[in-house]
Amino acid sequence: MLRTHTCGELQEKDISKTVKLCGWVGSRRDHGSLIFIDLRDGYGLTQIVFDPKTDPAVHKEAEGLRGEFVISVEGNVESRPEGTNNDKLPTGKVEVRARKLEILNRSLTPPFEITDAINVSEEARLKYRYLDIRRPSMQKALRLRHKVCKLARDYFDERNFVEMETPILTKSTPEGARDYLVPSRVNPGMFYALPQSPQLFKQILMVSSLDRYFQIAKCFRDEDLRADRQPEFTQFDIEMSFITEEDIYELSEGLMKKIFKGAIGADLKTPFPRLKYSEAIARFGCDKPDTRFGLELVEITNLVKDCQFKIFHEVIKKGGLCVAINAKGCGTYSRGQMDELIEFVKGYGAKGLANFKVEKGSLVSQIDKFFTKDELSAINEAVSGKDSDMIFIVADSLRIAYDSMSNLRKLLGKRLNLIDEKRFEFLWITDFPLFQYNNEEKRWESEHHPFTSCHPDDVGLLEEGASLGSVRSRSYDLVINGTEIGSGSIRIHDRKTQELIFKTIGISAEDALTRFGFLLDAFKYGAPPHGGVAFGLDRLMTFFTGSESIRDVIAFPKTQKAFCPMTNAPSAIDEKQLNELNIKIKK
Amino acid sequence: MLRTHTCGELQEKDISKTVKLCGWVGSRRDHGSLIFIDLRDGYGLTQIVFDPKTDPAVHKEAEGLRGEFVISVEGNVESRPEGTNNDKLPTGKVEVRARKLEILNRSLTPPFEITDAINVSEEARLKYRYLDIRRPSMQKALRLRHKVCKLARDYFDERNFVEMETPILTKSTPEGARDYLVPSRVNPGMFYALPQSPQLFKQILMVSSLDRYFQIAKCFRDEDLRADRQPEFTQFDIEMSFITEEDIYELSEGLMKKIFKGAIGADLKTPFPRLKYSEAIARFGCDKPDTRFGLELVEITNLVKDCQFKIFHEVIKKGGLCVAINAKGCGTYSRGQMDELIEFVKGYGAKGLANFKVEKGSLVSQIDKFFTKDELSAINEAVSGKDSDMIFIVADSLRIAYDSMSNLRKLLGKRLNLIDEKRFEFLWITDFPLFQYNNEEKRWESEHHPFTSCHPDDVGLLEEGASLGSVRSRSYDLVINGTEIGSGSIRIHDRKTQELIFKTIGISAEDALTRFGFLLDAFKYGAPPHGGVAFGLDRLMTFFTGSESIRDVIAFPKTQKAFCPMTNAPSAIDEKQLNELNIKIKK
């Protein structure tokens, strides 16, 4: 090694040692005749002193040092003069008096400072990612990512799981998003697909009798990138045979306990609470509720079904719902504040937002004349209204009513400072519907994916051809503070059921064979009962670092246009390569 | 869990316990009225007994069991009747008397037996990979692969390395092979490339001050697949800053020591021997010699440069070489055996193979009349010939002479049983040439890759424009038993040298900027001295399992036509997808 220590290592116990350090020149201060340099590497900072009295030649060389020069320094560890200790720094009690200096490489002035307090565009950070990663917060995030992966791997290894690599060049899998495709040169006109997840391969591994699989797996989805998605992302991917949901819950809870403790010292309480999908919708309006605060929704359709208020009345007649929320203590909201909230719910498709102030135990509103006293009392009782509360109500179709109110709840939670940012509230959502109706394509599709088992109590419904919307599945999501971080299910393991599900969601027998023939074939030869789960590593990491974006926990992420400003990928390729691949670009 | 134990777990200490096992029905034997079943899972076999006397209903059900049915059995652990123990099986002293039986899934008769002694085509094994992996040898190989990765990860973690994920969707990197390309839908006409290795990213990470990187990395090369290559393969990928070659050697040797011990209990002696490239060629004719046996080559050009044998004479006049090998004890080879060896070297381009038998201290040959007595003595002395040895000589261009004799040496080593298959001979090859001449394209190219540093003693040669073939590099290969399993180098870390190398191998300044601009840019901002190495995991695994092919240590490999017989990838895709990607297939 060209160094004896890193720049984060030297302590009082090292005083009087001769050491050699390598690193980057951080800040430089000239005090009288002395030159001080903060020498930085990925581990920390060490103060270097160049003294013209003791080492005039080295001091002279040091005058040429500029920020981000890479240097090697040999010298003695000394205690800092009294009163100059820096208690914030692990190395803050010592400094190195330079005896030798070698400039290993020079640097231009970087486009931004190598410090956490920068204010530059993300585009610039990604273009100069090699400088961005030198910043302490990025160093910490990437090192922590390694640690979390190590903790997870140890956890699974201790439990006899086998980490398996599944192919990246493979066949289209049907997770609902678009595949990235790779033209085959050797098989002209044919394409590989990059996996949206290892779903089919991990199921095949279960059929192979490898009954405890995990992988820290790269997955690929060619989506129109929403706020915080990446074309390639990483998940903890898990599958087991001969198990039930309980085994997955227990395994996952142990994993979360271990990585939250190891990464940030958080002690999680297990088991995590569970909530059925239907109850999550009724109480929070969504299937990934933030349970750090209350403000639960209350459906009051039945209480107002006979009221004289035309808007409620008509919505209910059409099969819609009235959903209320008690905004505790918001009875004093101004007209302006109200209008803002009305605009907010309109953003989610609601046509309006009724409001009732609680005054002296009664509900007061511009529209209170359309309700009987009993109706008003019933509403207030349902939402446990107290004086100076404000009751908001949306009347709309189920989807819009819950979506808008769920978002209003989140907004109020923030506004009313009900959210403890330091708390982690875990929640399993269970009993998801097996199917959901795709309004655009006018057909039923799988809520999770078509390999999900049916709830045992609902198998009859499926066979009878009853309303598909009422069939529950054996799938489950794990939610932290309102963010879904994991999802899984007990899978189908017999061919007939799998074929029935394909048929139900409109995949023809022929199509099923072409796309999933190998899975159906595998099911002919003794597939065991099995199930699994996957957790999004990138998202998990944001909980550990407190980052806003998953781009801050990925070394080389892409922009929302799926572009890498550092390498300029994707880029044009030459005609020869296109010819070899037997493809043409459409003009 | 649906089971209390695996099928590889029950021992005498478990006798009289009530257990529940799940697994696949292996062999079934009906002995009188008893039915015996070997229940198999990924961990082993347990014998199950169905007794019509004690459990008539369960026995009746068991009559319907067929091979590969998935069942759950509840029963008591009992010792086997005297004289029926199976000492080869960890569970061979016990059996489970079935009290309850549940058929979890049925199976058709599989296309081949689930046993290691199968004789089926590899195509069938890959098509039914889920059955192939049930075989004990595949179970062992894949579980061992996990273990080796775990050992490696622990090794690096203990040494403060950070495992980092580098992108899969990235930009073309120049490792000499073709890239797999991915059309971008969001950026029409643009393409991502799958990485041939994380080379540039790991160097960028060094510039980022993450100075100890490793990754178990997927790499992709679209080659015309030779004997034992895969379109995607896995490597232990390593890079460090502020180091020299010695640090890489030490780190790598420690890694090999640990994984060979952990995987197969082999004790390796370190440090590994080192051999300069030029010496490897002179002594073994190749840069990855199998050093488990001798039979070293001897160049005798100088000894015969004045001989009367026309063929030697003319080759030497044209700048060629005469290379000899002493085939110990082969003096009795028949004419037929000789002819076979002549055909063998012709396969490597040699025009012939001269032979001299050692008899009574002298060389005897059909062509001995063309040599003086002194010349014959000198040859014999050079190869330490003893009575009944056979001296073979090829006279040809350097490349052909060494290539053919190197392969003849390997053949003779096998024929003469000189190779101890249980030994592992590690060898570092150092001081590779920096450039090699590409005869087809009539230009110099990088022997390893263009990011390799020049040997410090040869920097002058490079600048002077001396013969590029004589410039040595700071690269190194690790060889085991004649197979290269790792390769690396100390990299260039300054922009000017990097630009000079690009220019030398005919990459224009403009081209360099388009392809590697981000690396050249990064070098402007303080790149540290750095170097690294990568080891092929798939190849390493074949040493641990004794497999002939890397396909036996990969869960889902592809054929030599880069095809997956199980999933049928690559496959045709529909017009809609092509349109979205803005490409057309050329007719």
Side-chain angles (χ1 to χ4, degrees), chain B residues 331-402:
Chain B
T332 55
Y333 264 24
S334 68
R335 189 68 245 161
Q337 285 175 302
M338 298 296 216
D339 287 347
E340 196 196 332
L341 295 183
I342 293 170
E343 285 311 305
F344 179 81
V345 296
K346 283 186 175 168
Y348 294 94
K351 281 174 280 300
L353 182 69
N355 65 76
F356 295 84
K357 202 193 279 194
V358 190
E359 275 182 11
K360 295 177 192 160
S362 303
L363 296 194
V364 179
S365 170
Q366 286 182 311
I367 56 168
D368 53 16
K369 59 185 173 222
F370 300 112
F371 297 84
T372 66
K373 215 176 156 187
D374 282 354
E375 282 167 343
L376 292 174
S377 295
I379 294 172
N380 197 34
E381 198 179 320
V383 300
S384 308
K386 299 272 175 286
D387 281 2
S388 78
D389 287 353
M390 179 72 86
I391 320 295
F392 291 113
I393 301 174
V394 161
D396 220 306
S397 68
L398 185 144
R399 195 175 290 201
I400 290 176
Y402 278 126

Side-chain angles (χ1 to χ4, degrees), chain A residues 3 43 105 134 145-146 157 165 169 171 192 211 234 493 525-527 558 562 567 579 584 586, chain B residues 3 24 43 105 134 145-146 157 165 169 171 192 207 211 234 242 525 527 558 562 567 579 584 586:
Chain A
R3 65 186 173 199
Y43 308 91
N105 215 342
R134 281 187 204 160
R145 186 179 174 111
H146 160 73
D157 184 69
E165 296 172 61
L169 291 169
K171 192 168 160 119
Y192 303 98
D211 55 16
T234 306
H493 67 280
Y525 295 103
K558 295 192 174 60
T567 61
N579 286 338
K584 280 203 290 200
K586 283 174 77 168
Chain B
R3 65 186 174 201
W24 285 262
Y43 308 91
N105 216 341
R134 282 188 204 159
R145 185 179 175 112
H146 161 74
D157 184 69
E165 296 171 62
L169 291 170
K171 190 168 163 121
Y192 303 99
V207 183
D211 54 17
T234 306
F242 306 120
Y525 295 104
K558 294 194 176 59
T567 60
N579 285 339
K584 278 203 289 199
K586 281 175 77 170

Side-chain angles (χ1 to χ4, degrees), chain A residues 344-356:
Chain A
F344 179 80
V345 297
K346 282 185 176 170
Y348 295 92
K351 282 172 281 300
L353 182 69
N355 66 77
F356 295 85

Side-chain angles (χ1 to χ4, degrees), chain A residues 1-3 22 24 42-43 68 70 104-110 130-131 133-134 139 142-143 145-146 150 153-154 157 161-171 178 180-183 185-187 189-192 194 201 204-205 207-212 218 220 222-224 232 234 242-243 247 493 518 521-522 524-528 555-556 558 561-562 566-567 569-573 578-586, chain B residues 1-3 22 24 42-43 68 70 104-110 130-131 133-134 139 142-143 145-146 150 153-154 157 161-171 178 180-183 185-187 189-192 194 201 204-205 207-212 218 220 222-224 232 234 242-243 247 493 518 521-522 524-528 555-556 558 561-562 566-567 569-573 578-586:
Chain A
M1 297 287 298
L2 306 182
R3 65 186 173 199
C22 291
W24 286 260
Y43 308 91
E68 301 313 311
V70 187
L104 300 171
N105 215 342
R106 286 163 197 281
S107 172
L108 300 183
T109 303
Y130 36 87
L131 298 174
I133 295 179
R134 281 187 204 160
Q139 286 283 321
L142 296 177
R143 287 171 194 272
R145 186 179 174 111
H146 160 73
K150 184 70 173 57
R153 285 195 162 102
D154 288 349
D157 184 69
F161 280 74
V162 179
E163 184 161 25
M164 300 279 300
E165 296 172 61
T166 51
I168 300 292
L169 291 169
T170 180
K171 192 168 160 119
R178 284 186 201 84
Y180 279 105
L181 295 176
V182 183
R185 179 180 57 84
V186 185
N187 308 275
M190 302 293 198
F191 290 78
Y192 303 98
L194 305 185
F201 285 103
I204 288 286
L205 286 171
V207 183
S208 307
S209 85
L210 273 158
D211 55 16
R212 291 166 90 81
K218 268 283 172 81
F220 303 86
D222 183 9
E223 295 175 303
D224 294 311
E232 59 184 291
T234 306
F242 306 121
I243 51 118
D247 299 292
H493 67 280
F518 65 105
D521 278 349
K524 288 182 195 167
Y525 295 103
F556 302 103
K558 295 192 174 60
K561 286 221 66 174
M566 183 180 80
T567 61
S571 54
I573 60 166
L578 286 178
N579 286 338
E580 281 188 335
L581 295 176
N582 245 57
I583 56 171
K584 280 203 290 200
I585 294 171
K586 283 174 77 168
Chain B
M1 298 286 296
L2 306 182
R3 65 186 174 201
C22 292
W24 285 262
Y43 308 91
E68 302 313 311
V70 187
L104 299 171
N105 216 341
R106 286 159 198 282
S107 173
L108 299 182
T109 304
Y130 36 87
L131 297 175
I133 294 179
R134 282 188 204 159
Q139 285 283 320
L142 296 176
R143 287 170 194 274
R145 185 179 175 112
H146 161 74
K150 184 68 173 55
R153 285 194 162 103
D154 288 349
D157 184 69
F161 280 74
V162 179
E163 184 161 24
M164 299 279 301
E165 296 171 62
T166 52
I168 299 292
L169 291 170
T170 178
K171 190 168 163 121
R178 284 186 199 86
Y180 281 105
L181 296 176
V182 182
R185 177 180 57 86
V186 185
N187 307 277
M190 302 295 199
F191 290 77
Y192 303 99
L194 306 186
F201 285 103
I204 288 286
L205 286 171
V207 183
S208 307
S209 86
L210 272 157
D211 54 17
R212 293 167 89 82
K218 267 285 172 81
F220 304 85
D222 183 10
E223 296 175 302
D224 295 310
E232 59 184 289
T234 306
F242 306 120
I243 50 121
D247 299 291
H493 67 278
F518 65 103
D521 278 349
K524 288 182 196 166
Y525 295 104
F556 301 103
K558 294 194 176 59
K561 287 221 63 171
M566 184 179 80
T567 60
S571 54
I573 59 165
L578 287 177
N579 285 339
E580 280 188 337
L581 295 176
N582 245 56
I583 56 172
K584 278 203 289 199
I585 294 171
K586 281 175 77 170

Side-chain angles (χ1 to χ4, degrees), chain B residues 528-540:
Chain B
H530 62 286
V533 67
F535 298 101
L537 172 62
D538 307 309
R539 183 67 54 206
L540 264 174

Side-chain angles (χ1 to χ4, degrees), chain A residues 335 355-356 364-370:
Chain A
R335 189 66 245 165
N355 66 77
F356 295 85
V364 180
S365 171
Q366 285 182 311
I367 56 167
D368 55 16
K369 61 184 171 219
F370 299 112

Side-chain angles (χ1 to χ4, degrees), chain B residues 329-506:
Chain B
C330 297
T332 55
Y333 264 24
S334 68
R335 189 68 245 161
Q337 285 175 302
M338 298 296 216
D339 287 347
E340 196 196 332
L341 295 183
I342 293 170
E343 285 311 305
F344 179 81
V345 296
K346 283 186 175 168
Y348 294 94
K351 281 174 280 300
L353 182 69
N355 65 76
F356 295 84
K357 202 193 279 194
V358 190
E359 275 182 11
K360 295 177 192 160
S362 303
L363 296 194
V364 179
S365 170
Q366 286 182 311
I367 56 168
D368 53 16
K369 59 185 173 222
F370 300 112
F371 297 84
T372 66
K373 215 176 156 187
D374 282 354
E375 282 167 343
L376 292 174
S377 295
I379 294 172
N380 197 34
E381 198 179 320
V383 300
S384 308
K386 299 272 175 286
D387 281 2
S388 78
D389 287 353
M390 179 72 86
I391 320 295
F392 291 113
I393 301 174
V394 161
D396 220 306
S397 68
L398 185 144
R399 195 175 290 201
I400 290 176
Y402 278 126
D403 193 30
S404 57
M405 287 302 265
S406 158
N407 282 290
L408 179 64
R409 173 180 174 270
K410 280 191 258 179
L411 182 71
L412 290 170
K414 269 184 213 153
R415 289 257 171 107
L416 299 173
N417 273 322
L418 300 177
I419 301 173
D420 177 355
E421 294 290 349
K422 291 200 180 109
R423 250 172 76 196
F424 297 105
E425 282 293 331
F426 283 76
L427 180 67
W428 287 108
I429 305 292
T430 67
D431 294 83
F432 275 85
L434 187 54
F435 303 106
Q436 66 180 357
Y437 194 70
N438 184 326
N439 271 321
E440 281 162 40
E441 300 186 16
K442 302 283 170 220
R443 61 178 189 85
W444 288 95
E445 59 189 18
S446 296
E447 165 84 21
H448 276 84
H449 57 55
F451 313 108
T452 308
S453 274
C454 185
H455 192 293
D457 295 347
D458 295 354
V459 173
L461 293 177
L462 189 64
E463 281 164 359
E464 284 160 20
S467 164
L468 290 179
S470 63
V471 179
R472 288 164 302 166
S473 70
R474 294 179 73 181
S475 66
Y476 32 80
D477 279 3
L478 185 60
V479 173
I480 309 178
N481 297 352
T483 299
E484 182 221 306
I485 54 125
S487 186
S489 60
I490 301 299
R491 327 294 184 188
I492 297 164
H493 67 278
D494 78 293
R495 184 180 164 108
K496 275 201 182 139
T497 309
Q498 190 61 71
E499 283 171 340
L500 175 61
I501 296 291
F502 285 148
K503 194 177 146 197
T504 306
I505 57 173

